[in-house]
Amino acid sequence: QVQLVESGGGLVQAGGSLRLSCAASGIRFSINSMGWYRQAPGKQRELVARITIYSSTNYADSVKGRFTISRDNARNTVYLQMNSLKPEDTAVYYCNTFPEKYLWGQGTQVTVSS
């Protein structure tokens, strides 16, 4: 049974930082590219960052230079370090493979106040 469990969200002021974690189980984590996605109220889910099995990374323009995705294959975990947060980063953040293959987890809420 595949499980994707996101954690680390919270309420932070603009300019602050958060580190999100996603623990994956039931998948062959090390052979999958992974992605962090987010969905803001009233908007479609969007890809924020992705990381290949070789740890090559790619970011949405809106977060480039502020967010960093990383992975730990020994822990089947993918991380998203978010710095210089802005109110427009407010969303529920999810992880999944890239491209997404599995049911979405519950996500973790990130709220950035101005």
Side-chain angles (χ1 to χ4, degrees), residues 41-84:
K43 295 188 176 182
Q44 288 192 331
R45 191 164 6 223
E46 62 173 350
L47 176 69
V48 173
R50 57 187 170 97
I51 184 167
T52 71
I53 61 173
Y54 305 108
S55 292
S56 175
T57 59
N58 190 269
Y59 300 91
D61 287 343
S62 58
V63 306
K64 206 170 290 184
R66 301 187 297 121
F67 289 11
T68 303
I69 188 171
S70 60
R71 66 190 297 160
D72 184 340
N73 289 341
R75 289 183 165 84
N76 283 10
T77 300
V78 60
Y79 304 97
L80 187 68
Q81 177 67 44
M82 307 188 296
N83 299 328
S84 303

Side-chain angles (χ1 to χ4, degrees), residues 6-111:
E6 302 91 350
S7 62
L11 172 63
V12 63
Q13 288 189 330
S17 299
L18 285 173
R19 189 191 192 212
L20 306 184
S21 299
C22 171
S25 59
I27 70 171
R28 294 182 66 185
F29 183 83
S30 62
I31 65 167
N32 278 280
S33 292
M34 297 297 296
W36 277 99
Y37 305 77
R38 68 186 181 188
Q39 187 167 21
K43 295 188 176 182
Q44 288 192 331
R45 191 164 6 223
E46 62 173 350
L47 176 69
V48 173
R50 57 187 170 97
I51 184 167
T52 71
I53 61 173
Y54 305 108
S55 292
S56 175
T57 59
N58 190 269
Y59 300 91
D61 287 343
S62 58
V63 306
K64 206 170 290 184
R66 301 187 297 121
F67 289 11
T68 303
I69 188 171
S70 60
R71 66 190 297 160
D72 184 340
N73 289 341
R75 289 183 165 84
N76 283 10
T77 300
V78 60
Y79 304 97
L80 187 68
Q81 177 67 44
M82 307 188 296
N83 299 328
S84 303
L85 282 161
K86 303 176 180 180
E88 50 264 44
D89 295 318
T90 295
V92 179
Y93 284 72
Y94 304 87
C95 73
N96 209 316
T97 55
F98 177 81
E100 60 268 30
K101 293 189 285 192
Y102 301 107
L103 288 176
W104 298 97
Q106 63 182 20
T108 186
Q109 175 71 49
V110 171
T111 304

